[in-house]
Amino acid sequence: GENVEQHPSTLSVQEGDSAVIKCTYSDSASNYFPWYKQELGKRPQLIIDIRSNVGEKKDQRIAVTLNKTAKHFSLHITETQPEDSAVYFCAASYDRTGTASKLTFGTGTRLQVTL
Amino acid sequence: DADVTQTPRNRITKTGKRIMLECSQTKGHDRMYWYRQDPGLGLRLIYYSFDVKDINKGEISDGYSVSRQAQAKFSLSLESAIPNQTALYFCATSDSSGGGYGYTFGSGTRLTVV
């Protein structure tokens, strides 16, 4: 089955700096890679996703890159703000529709943005 | 608003008791999942269902069972609860039709087994 590793487990950055979280996956067939943000006491929320036919996707201050050859993908947050403080999860799955299906999650990164 | 609802939100139960966690959704999604979240371990898949007649085990199904009563309802049961089943449980849904790509999570059920 799929295995997803995520690093680092904790990350502290100053407001305005960039943050990068990295994940690797084991199943070369995986074709869908979402990122979720979980604030304290709340449910995980999808913030950005990428499919295997795309190398990079950007949404305002958030971007995700995918390297299929190396089987790794990364989340980049620029100009970090205090409200970016949360736990972030990467995930991976394969489905013929290219949608979320039996997602395997990484173990999470706790991001703290300090003033 | 279309959403995913889990009940109860919190539950404390004793070792050996049977307990059911319920999930219902108004999103019209066909696929439903149960995950448990433990600190440092992320979210791990317990069971999933792609339609009412399709039930599949995930990576940590031992000690759990599920029932898909309708497309909108998916229940998780702990037949005889044990303390290491203390965790935060999430139900999630997804749509295979291509209308959206990600999961929608419920608000979670915090279960404590004493």
Side-chain angles (χ1 to χ4, degrees):
Chain A
E2 175 68 280
N3 183 54
V4 176
E5 295 189 359
Q6 182 173 347
H7 300 280
S9 56
T10 60
L11 180 60
S12 182
V13 300
Q14 287 197 320
E15 184 179 6
D17 288 349
S18 295
V20 180
I21 302 170
K22 298 182 179 182
C23 289
T24 60
Y25 61 99
S26 62
D27 187 351
S28 57
S30 289
N31 60 358
Y32 177 69
F33 307 91
W35 286 87
Y36 286 84
K37 175 184 181 181
Q38 186 179 28
E39 297 176 346
L40 191 62
K42 296 191 175 180
R43 71 185 86 183
Q45 299 270 14
L46 178 70
I47 57 171
I48 195 167
D49 56 12
I50 193 168
R51 299 168 83 181
S52 60
N53 59 350
V54 175
E56 183 173 359
K57 184 177 179 180
K58 189 174 181 180
D59 182 3
Q60 299 183 331
R61 297 186 297 109
I62 294 172
V64 57
T65 58
L66 171 65
N67 182 327
K68 288 190 296 181
T69 302
K71 290 189 286 188
H72 68 69
F73 56 113
S74 300
L75 178 70
H76 304 253
I77 306 174
T78 59
E79 301 173 16
T80 53
Q81 301 168 4
E83 52 264 37
D84 294 329
S85 296
V87 178
Y88 292 81
F89 292 97
C90 63
S93 70
Y94 167 77
D95 189 85
R96 60 174 180 80
T97 65
T99 60
S101 175
K102 300 177 295 177
L103 286 170
T104 297
F105 286 85
T107 51
T109 296
R110 182 173 299 279
L111 173 64
Q112 183 171 6
V113 180
T114 58
L115 298 174
Chain B
D1 289 341
D3 205 351
V4 181
T5 303
Q6 289 184 236
T7 56
R9 292 294 307 274
N10 293 280
R11 180 74 182 266
I12 300 174
T13 192
K14 293 184 177 181
T15 298
K17 293 291 188 181
R18 183 177 188 275
I19 182 170
M20 179 181 289
L21 310 182
E22 299 187 342
C23 177
S24 63
Q25 52 116 346
T26 57
K27 297 191 72 70
H29 288 174
D30 53 337
R31 297 176 174 182
M32 299 187 74
Y33 312 83
W34 277 104
Y35 284 83
R36 65 176 279 175
Q37 183 175 22
D38 299 277
L41 296 179
L43 295 111
R44 293 180 292 165
L45 182 62
I46 306 171
Y47 269 95
Y48 63 97
S49 170
F50 282 179
D51 66 40
V52 175
K53 296 184 179 180
D54 177 72
I55 303 289
N56 301 279
K57 294 181 178 180
E59 64 175 304
I60 54 164
S61 60
D62 287 350
Y64 301 95
S65 62
V66 292
S67 172
R68 184 89 184 260
Q69 300 95 323
Q71 187 184 33
K73 295 188 175 185
F74 193 36
S75 300
L76 176 72
S77 293
L78 287 68
E79 297 301 326
S80 179
I82 56 177
N84 77 358
Q85 292 178 313
T86 293
L88 182 58
Y89 289 84
F90 283 104
C91 174
T93 69
S94 69
D95 179 10
S96 68
S97 69
Y101 297 133
Y103 279 2
T104 299
F105 282 92
S107 296
T109 295
R110 186 168 296 280
L111 177 66
T112 303
V113 183
V114 297

